[in-house]
Amino acid sequence: MKITMDIECTPEEVRTFLGLPDVKPMQEQLMRELQDRMTANIRAMEPDAMLRTWLPATMKGFE
């Protein structure tokens, strides 16, 4: 015997039904903090230092 059930529900409804925590507020806070840190680091770096950081060491030979 084989029984198939199709249940339509949103991810929030499934999370609530299974008793899982809602992590959306935590994710939003972490993403805001990450964005703030990245923005501050980019503003603090000079263009020359930024290129040296982002380019691999093998590209330095072309200078």
Side-chain angles (χ1 to χ4, degrees), residues 18-37:
L18 295 175
L20 298 173
D22 183 17
V23 295
K24 190 173 182 177
M26 181 182 64
Q27 288 175 336
E28 290 173 351
Q29 179 184 357
L30 288 174
M31 289 305 292
R32 275 193 307 271
E33 184 177 331
L34 179 63
Q35 184 178 5
D36 292 343
R37 286 184 181 190

Side-chain angles (χ1 to χ4, degrees), residues 45-57 59-60 63:
M45 293 182 82
E46 297 176 7
D48 186 37
M50 194 180 330
L51 286 175
R52 277 189 268 118
T53 302
W54 289 351
L55 290 178
M59 295 295 290
K60 288 187 179 179
E63 294 176 357

Side-chain angles (χ1 to χ4, degrees), residues 2-28:
K2 186 175 181 181
I3 298 173
T4 303
M5 294 176 64
D6 291 327
I7 301 173
E8 292 184 23
C9 59
T10 65
E12 290 85 15
E13 292 171 337
V14 174
R15 234 186 336 268
T16 302
F17 179 75
L18 295 175
L20 298 173
D22 183 17
V23 295
K24 190 173 182 177
M26 181 182 64
Q27 288 175 336
E28 290 173 351

